[in-house]
């Protein structure tokens, strides 16, 4: 430990290197001297490389900024915190040379905000973690038609700049969630009814390929890579800048409506009708949460995140009138800016930071004559599982429904890699989000939710409404969302990987994320 810190300190003091990427021979010289990637990284990037030492707050601050305890539990040998695309290129080039030379301990992870909860998604034991959080620029073009956003941003840092200019971009709905992960996994937004997935609104990516080359991808430059990055996760490079469309947007309606769990049947009926393409209002957005909180007893509530992005109408608009008329426990509905709503929804996320956290997801076909009864039966399974976990310390357990109508996901389905272009049904997403205190409960929770998902899938198949597609940003470590994109999309993604990452760096040297199976 002391040796690693001294290596870093000496590098800082003596090796002020040029900004240009070092050549292969210089890298090999450093690797041969020490036989370790982290000491080579510290030589070439002295101010950006941090070690697991009590005096190195860069390391500890990075580790503690992961949302989940599972990710915080991993201990990389060093953490590189780049501040520019050139820094990323230098780090990746060093790691590429080490990969080609088969030097042990040089696998790496790439993280933005670090919101994906399962261990190893964006962190690594005994390797290198590249922490992009310092690359957090938000630059609006003079034309006010686009914005350049750094991959290390959280949405809570992006939206205030746009709010002040009465602009918005299609992005995340919780302030603590990161830009990089959401945009490379698809991205469902309050504005998706009008503009599609967040990834469909990216005009250009700047990224570093597996060999350290800095390049760009757009509809005109590297178009296949451009499409692959729209849902392809971390399989092709490290994005160092997103150039996205922006749209005029003033204050709009939104907030949280809390209802008693006794409303559930009425909410199921409302959700199914609301989410049909024939009825879907593109200005509306809805997250329907059924929540259980363990304590001296199990408390359950319905918590509905509602947004209506046309602020010129009176509340409630027809799309939300039936929901608003139901019995309420509380409501915060008001007209405000986007950042106000994302901060409100993100508050629960902040409260669970550092806990053990878990996502898992599935999709069903929203047939109006079948889906309400399916949801009633599925709820019984969900509720029984909640009650079986009442002794899990600090449990917060949420069963969430979100609309995915054809009129939303079809907006740019042939120009992204999500594989939704093979469907024409109205779909709906189910998300399970769980948080708890003790790691000793991890296996119990994982097992319970895996069984629950299997039972719900069986129920959906029995009723003829099962759909195989999985939203990558909600998938658990036990799921394969890339495979769920379908064979055509997987074949396309594999072909792009072979073209732009022929050495398979992001398949073999970067084990985190959801891989292509190459």
């Amino acid at each position: 430990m002391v040796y690693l810190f001294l290596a870093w300190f000496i590098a800082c003091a003596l090796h002020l290197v040029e900004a240009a990427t070092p050549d292969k021979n210089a890298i090999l010289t450093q690797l041969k001297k020490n036989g370790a990637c982290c000491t080579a990284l510290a030589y070439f990037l002295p101010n950006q490389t941090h070690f697991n030492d009590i005096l190195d707050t860069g390391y500890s601050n990075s580790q503690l900024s992961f949302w989940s305890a599972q990710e915080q539990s991993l201990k990389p040998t060093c953490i590189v915190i780049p501040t520019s695309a050139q820094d990323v290129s230098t780090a990746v080039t060093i790691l590429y040379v080490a990969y080609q030379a088969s030097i042990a301990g040089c696998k790496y992870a790439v993280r933005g905000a670090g919101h994906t909860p399962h261990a190893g998604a964006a962190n690594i034991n005994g390797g290198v973690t590249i922490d992009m959080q310092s690359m957090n620029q938000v630059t609006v073009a003079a034309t006010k038609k686009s914005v350049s956003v750094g991959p290390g941003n959280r949405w809570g840092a992006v939206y205030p700049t746009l709010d002040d200019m009465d602009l918005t971009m299609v992005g995340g709905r919780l302030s603590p969630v990161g830009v990089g992960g959401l945009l490379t996994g698809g991205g469902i937004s309050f504005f998706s009814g009008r503009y599609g997935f967040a990834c469909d609104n990216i005009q250009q990516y700047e990224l570093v390929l597996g060999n350290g080359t800095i390049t760009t991808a757009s509809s005109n430059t590297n178009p296949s890579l451009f499409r692959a990055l729209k849902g392809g996760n971390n399989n092709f490079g490290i994005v160092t800048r997103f150039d996205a469309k922006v749209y005029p947007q003033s204050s709009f309606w939104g907030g949280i409506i809390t209802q008693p769990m006794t409303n559930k049947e009425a909410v199921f009926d409302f959700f199914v009708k609301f989410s049909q393409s024939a009825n879907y209002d593109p200005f509306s957005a809805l997250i329907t949460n059924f929540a259980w909180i363990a304590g001296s007893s199990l408390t359950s509530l319905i918590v509905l995140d509602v947004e209506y992005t046309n602020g010129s109408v009176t509340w409630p608009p027809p799309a939300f009138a039936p929901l608003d008329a139901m019995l309420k426990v509380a409501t915060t509905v008001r007209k405000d800016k986007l950042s106000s709503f994302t901060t409100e929804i993100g508050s629960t996320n902040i409260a669970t930071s550092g806990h053990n956290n878990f996502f898992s997801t599935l999709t069903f076909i929203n047939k109006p004559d079948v889906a309400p009864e399916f949801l009633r039966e599925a709820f019984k399974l969900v509720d029984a599982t909640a009650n079986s976990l009442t002794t899990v310390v600090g449990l917060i357990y949420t069963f969430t429904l979100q609309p995915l109508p054809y009129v939303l996901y079809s907006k740019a389905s042939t120009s992204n890699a999500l594989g939704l272009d093979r469907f024409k049904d109205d779909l709906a997403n189910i998300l399970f989000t769980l948080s708890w205190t003790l790691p000793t409960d991890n296996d119990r929770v994982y097992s319970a939710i895996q069984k629950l998902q299997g039972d719900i899938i069986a129920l959906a198949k029995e009723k003829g409404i099962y759909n195989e597609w999985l939203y990558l940003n909600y998938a658990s470590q036990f799921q394969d969302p890339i495979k769920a994109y379908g064979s055509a999309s997987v074949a396309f993604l594999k072909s792009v990987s072979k073209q732009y990452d022929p050495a398979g760096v992001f398949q073999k040297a970067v084990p985190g994320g959801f891989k292509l199976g190459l």
Side-chain angles (χ1 to χ4, degrees):
M1 193 71 68
V2 173
Y3 171 77
L4 292 175
F5 175 73
L6 287 173
W8 171 83
F9 180 81
I10 292 167
C12 286
L14 300 179
H15 298 289
L16 301 178
V17 297
E18 298 295 327
T21 303
D23 65 33
K24 182 177 179 179
N25 289 333
I27 293 168
L28 281 171
T29 298
Q30 288 302 314
L31 289 170
K32 287 176 181 176
K33 278 184 180 181
N34 303 293
C37 279
C38 283
T39 48
L41 286 162
Y43 180 89
F44 291 107
L45 293 168
N47 298 319
Q48 289 81 29
T49 306
H50 301 268
F51 291 96
N52 188 8
D53 189 284
I54 193 170
L55 298 178
D56 194 333
T57 57
Y59 186 101
S60 57
N61 288 342
S62 176
Q63 285 286 91
L64 290 171
S65 65
F66 281 104
W67 176 47
S68 75
Q70 293 99 317
E71 282 283 67
Q72 290 181 15
S73 71
L74 302 183
K75 296 295 183 283
T77 302
C78 66
I79 298 173
V80 177
I81 304 179
T83 59
S84 67
Q86 183 58 57
D87 287 348
V88 177
S89 173
T90 297
V92 171
T93 300
I94 293 166
L95 294 164
Y96 178 65
V97 172
Y99 171 68
Q100 289 186 309
S102 301
I103 295 175
C106 293
K107 290 187 176 182
Y108 64 101
V110 184
R111 64 159 296 188
H115 187 257
T116 300
H118 60 264
N123 204 7
I124 194 166
N125 257 333
V128 179
T129 294
I130 300 176
D131 181 344
M132 303 292 287
Q133 290 182 93
S134 292
M135 297 183 65
N136 58 0
Q137 75 274 17
V138 181
T139 307
V140 179
T143 61
K144 296 187 178 180
K145 299 290 186 183
S146 65
V147 61
S148 294
V149 180
N153 274 297
R154 298 169 192 259
W155 294 105
V158 174
Y159 292 144
T161 297
L162 299 175
D163 283 347
D164 289 345
M165 303 173 74
D166 282 335
L167 298 172
T168 197
M169 67 177 287
V170 185
R173 297 166 295 177
L174 281 74
S175 288
V177 168
V179 164
L182 182 125
L183 291 177
T184 55
I188 299 173
S189 167
F190 296 144
F191 304 103
S192 289
R194 294 157 65 187
Y195 308 123
F197 286 97
C199 67
D200 297 326
N201 291 272
I202 301 301
Q203 296 175 312
Q204 180 173 270
Y205 302 86
E206 178 188 76
L207 70 156
V208 174
L209 300 177
N211 64 2
T213 301
I214 301 173
T215 190
T216 59
S218 67
S219 58
N220 297 317
T221 304
N222 299 313
S224 62
L225 178 61
F226 181 60
R227 180 186 167 202
L229 289 166
K230 297 182 176 185
N233 201 221
N234 67 347
N235 285 292
F236 307 100
I238 301 175
V239 178
T240 52
R241 192 186 73 239
F242 297 90
D243 297 335
K245 297 175 186 176
V246 295
Y247 301 95
Q249 182 65 53
S250 55
S251 295
F252 59 90
W253 291 103
I256 295 175
I257 298 173
T258 306
Q259 298 183 353
M261 194 64 86
T262 51
N263 283 14
K264 60 184 181 296
E265 285 81 7
V267 170
F268 293 147
D269 292 339
F270 169 81
F271 175 85
V272 170
K273 184 176 180 180
F274 172 92
S275 306
Q276 294 291 313
S277 285
N279 305 319
Y280 196 70
D281 185 330
F283 289 94
S284 64
L286 174 66
I287 307 173
T288 302
N289 304 289
F290 301 86
W292 291 258
I293 302 171
S296 57
S297 61
L298 192 65
T299 302
S300 59
L301 289 167
I302 304 173
V303 182
L304 302 128
D305 304 313
V306 298
E307 271 71 34
Y308 196 78
T309 60
N310 181 356
S312 67
V313 304
T314 57
W315 182 266
F320 284 120
L323 186 68
D324 192 68
M326 295 179 195
L327 179 65
K328 301 181 186 71
V329 174
T331 179
T332 67
V333 172
R334 74 276 186 196
K335 191 184 290 187
D336 211 333
K337 298 282 190 173
L338 174 60
S339 56
S340 173
F341 302 124
T342 59
T343 298
E344 180 180 44
I345 298 174
S347 61
T348 299
N349 198 260
I350 294 170
T352 55
S353 182
H355 294 205
N356 298 281
N357 294 302
F358 182 72
F359 290 157
S360 199
T361 190
L362 58 92
T363 306
F364 67 91
I365 301 169
N366 189 27
K367 290 184 179 178
D369 56 336
V370 179
E373 182 57 30
F374 163 74
L375 288 173
R376 289 176 173 83
E377 293 183 34
F379 180 87
K380 293 177 183 177
L381 298 171
V382 174
D383 184 59
T385 302
N387 281 279
S388 75
L389 296 173
T390 53
T391 57
V392 172
V393 177
L395 179 71
I396 301 173
Y397 172 112
T398 307
F399 167 53
T400 299
L401 303 174
Q402 297 182 67
L404 197 59
Y406 177 75
V407 294
L408 186 158
Y409 70 74
S410 62
K411 290 188 182 298
S413 60
T414 59
S415 61
N416 61 43
L418 298 172
L420 284 163
D421 55 324
R422 68 195 195 274
F423 303 125
K424 295 192 180 298
D425 292 310
D426 289 323
L427 305 176
N429 173 264
I430 291 176
L431 166 66
F432 295 102
T433 306
L434 291 92
S435 182
W436 62 99
T437 305
L438 302 177
T440 50
D441 285 320
N442 288 13
D443 289 344
R444 180 183 171 196
V445 172
Y446 298 157
S447 177
I449 301 303
Q450 284 182 275
K451 181 182 185 305
L452 172 63
Q453 288 224 148
D455 291 343
I456 293 177
I457 288 170
L459 178 64
K461 288 180 176 179
E462 177 189 320
K463 294 188 176 296
I465 61 170
Y466 172 69
N467 183 280
E468 67 178 351
W469 190 78
L470 298 172
Y471 179 41
L472 183 146
N473 288 340
Y474 292 165
S476 78
Q477 63 266 44
F478 308 112
Q479 297 181 297
D480 189 348
I482 297 289
K483 181 180 179 181
Y485 287 176
S487 57
S489 184
V490 171
F492 165 73
L493 291 171
K494 287 181 176 179
S495 71
V496 174
S497 174
K498 290 174 182 177
Q499 180 181 357
Y500 288 93
D501 184 19
V505 171
F506 286 96
Q507 303 308 304
K508 299 171 186 175
V510 184
F514 297 102
K515 303 287 97 171
L516 302 178
L518 287 169

